[in-house]
Amino acid sequence: MSNNIGKFPIIVLILAISMIGFGVYNLNKMPDTKYPQFNAEFTLHNAEGTVSFSDLAGKVSVIFFGYTHCPDICPATLLNFGKALKLLDEDEQKLVRAVFISLDHDRDTPEMLSKYTRYFHPDIIGLTGNEAEITAAAKAFMVPKEKNKPNAKGNYTMNHGTYLYVMRPDGKLGELASHQDPPEKIVASLRAWIKWAE
């Protein structure tokens, strides 16, 4: 009987350690996504070569669709992209990827996109592809892609989505942010997932 009594504190201690460990595990576990049906995917190109969505694995990514000839929404959004990246500290910047995908495959070449995105921040990745690749990327992200009728000079605008897709390190959608979000809010959205990035 006395031996059993002596073992009791040890059993309690083991259980307590186990419960603490389980609690720490739950605190460190990435929460379930709010968008389980969302399956992001793309294989596109920048000035250096081919980039796939899987290349972003392990990082927190913010992705936006548009085109370089966009007169208002795209430059304003990319301006906030750049400001948000500057608000991150050096260690945080290593864990974040900002991606701008052009839907205008007829006019936006990888080289043109590289020059365009560098204007807003050198770390913004500009991607494009052929019609099939862009259509597949837009479909995966449920982004509208519509070329409007050209004017007399042959210039045209495009209808495109305005959401910012904040992607978690595990490749799942973490948040749908607005293109009107200020840099500080974009940073808060990124920092919500950075602790799981590598």
Side-chain angles (χ1 to χ4, degrees):
M1 186 73 173
S2 59
N3 287 339
N4 290 335
I5 294 174
K7 292 177 181 178
F8 183 73
I10 297 174
I11 294 172
V12 171
L13 179 61
I14 292 172
L15 288 173
I17 292 172
S18 299
M19 290 177 67
I20 292 171
F22 182 73
V24 170
Y25 171 77
N26 278 331
L27 286 174
N28 291 327
K29 182 184 176 185
M30 203 179 307
D32 292 335
T33 177
K34 296 183 290 184
Y35 311 93
Q37 305 303 318
F38 189 90
N39 294 307
E41 189 56 67
F42 62 72
T43 298
L44 299 168
H45 315 281
N46 64 7
E48 284 72 48
T50 299
V51 178
S52 295
F53 180 71
S54 59
D55 294 326
L56 305 177
K59 310 298 181 186
V60 181
S61 303
V62 56
I63 300 172
F64 181 68
F65 287 76
Y67 62 112
T68 65
H69 289 74
C70 178
D72 40 34
I73 292 175
C74 297
T77 302
L78 289 174
L79 190 63
N80 283 339
F81 261 36
K83 289 179 179 179
L85 292 175
K86 290 176 183 177
L87 290 175
L88 297 170
D89 65 39
E90 187 175 341
D91 290 334
E92 289 174 324
Q93 288 181 20
K94 294 176 183 177
L95 302 173
V96 170
R97 297 291 180 268
V99 180
F100 175 64
I101 297 177
S102 172
L103 298 170
D104 191 358
H105 52 81
D106 289 330
R107 293 183 295 190
D108 290 344
T109 65
E111 292 74 21
M112 183 186 297
L113 270 171
S114 178
K115 292 179 182 178
Y116 181 72
T117 55
R118 277 204 305 266
Y119 175 79
F120 300 98
H121 194 283
D123 290 341
I124 298 176
I125 303 167
L127 298 176
T128 188
N130 60 37
E131 183 174 4
E133 291 168 331
I134 290 298
T135 299
K139 184 178 179 180
F141 282 80
M142 296 179 281
V143 174
K145 173 183 174 289
E146 183 181 1
K147 179 179 176 180
N148 295 314
K149 185 178 179 180
N151 61 21
K153 294 182 179 180
N155 297 321
Y156 58 87
T157 58
M158 298 193 70
N159 296 332
H160 61 87
T162 58
Y163 283 121
L164 278 66
Y165 298 81
V166 179
M167 307 303 299
R168 307 169 3 153
D170 61 359
K172 296 178 181 178
L173 178 60
E175 182 180 343
L176 280 173
S178 169
H179 73 282
Q180 296 179 321
D181 285 349
E184 293 79 10
K185 190 169 181 180
I186 295 174
V187 168
S189 297
L190 295 172
R191 283 177 172 159
W193 304 104
I194 280 179
K195 67 178 179 179
W196 290 288
E198 56 187 24

